Amino acid sequence: GTVKGKRVPGLGSPNAPETFSVWGIDVAGAKPRVVAKVKTGLLVGQLTDLKFPAVGGSSPNSVVATNNRAYVANGTNDNVQVIDLTTWRIVATIPLGPVPGIKQRGVSPFGVTLSPDGRRLYVAEAGINAVGVIDTWKAKLIGHIPAGWYPSKVQVSRDGGTLYIANAK
């Protein structure tokens, strides 16, 4: 477009590979290099499960990884996606919400952490003041832990006996 006689370039497509993506970076060599760009969540304009077009990006905001998987919280899509780190493909999408089978919005997943044995993924669900508990072997939400106002980050102790929750409000 043009503003006051000067050309102002557009920002480009909100669905470009660089936007709303998780990047894989190989840091093993002398010079780090990008090895993957994985789009997570819904593309802008894609129909949601509620049958309206997505107007914003997925907002991938937190990632935790193992040797072969990465778990990504998509803040505006209310889900966690699992990326296979050998193929760089999404292998599971785990919906979040207080009532299974009910389609809603507003869970706002933010922080994620894994239990020491890798069997449980804990997700700070800021919009519903809870922490979601996911069985990583089944890629399924199994419950919620009540939390304070707007939980935003979570961490498990090294022995797996304590879950720490940081609330943003």
Side-chain angles (χ1 to χ4, degrees):
T2 303
V3 177
K4 295 184 180 181
K6 294 189 178 187
R7 184 178 180 286
V8 178
L11 297 176
S13 170
N15 293 325
E18 293 78 17
T19 62
F20 305 113
S21 299
V22 173
W23 291 32
I25 301 174
D26 183 347
V27 295
K31 183 177 178 185
R33 64 184 180 87
V34 175
V35 295
K37 296 176 189 172
V38 181
K39 298 288 293 176
T40 63
L42 297 172
L43 298 176
V44 174
Q46 183 178 355
L47 286 182
T48 69
D49 55 358
L50 297 174
K51 306 297 183 224
F52 60 84
V55 294
S58 59
S59 299
N61 57 50
S62 296
V63 178
V64 64
T66 67
N67 289 337
N68 59 356
R69 296 273 192 264
Y71 299 88
V72 182
N74 290 312
T76 57
N77 288 167
D78 291 339
N79 65 38
V80 169
Q81 288 187 306
V82 184
I83 300 172
D84 180 311
L85 297 179
T86 57
T87 63
W88 292 101
R89 294 189 187 277
I90 295 171
V91 295
T93 298
I94 306 163
L96 301 171
V99 182
I102 301 290
K103 296 176 182 176
Q104 75 263 323
R105 290 289 179 260
V107 175
S108 301
F110 205 70
V112 293
T113 192
L114 280 166
S115 62
D117 65 3
R119 291 279 324 259
R120 298 286 184 259
L121 177 74
Y122 299 95
V123 183
E125 297 171 315
I128 63 170
N129 299 330
V131 173
V133 182
I134 293 173
D135 180 321
T136 59
W137 290 8
K138 295 179 181 178
K140 180 179 179 182
L141 178 70
I142 58 173
H144 303 274
I145 300 168
W149 190 12
Y150 211 83
S152 56
K153 296 295 177 189
V154 287
Q155 183 64 49
V156 179
S157 62
R158 288 184 184 184
D159 67 3
T162 304
L163 176 67
Y164 300 96
I165 304 166
N167 299 304
K169 297 186 179 184

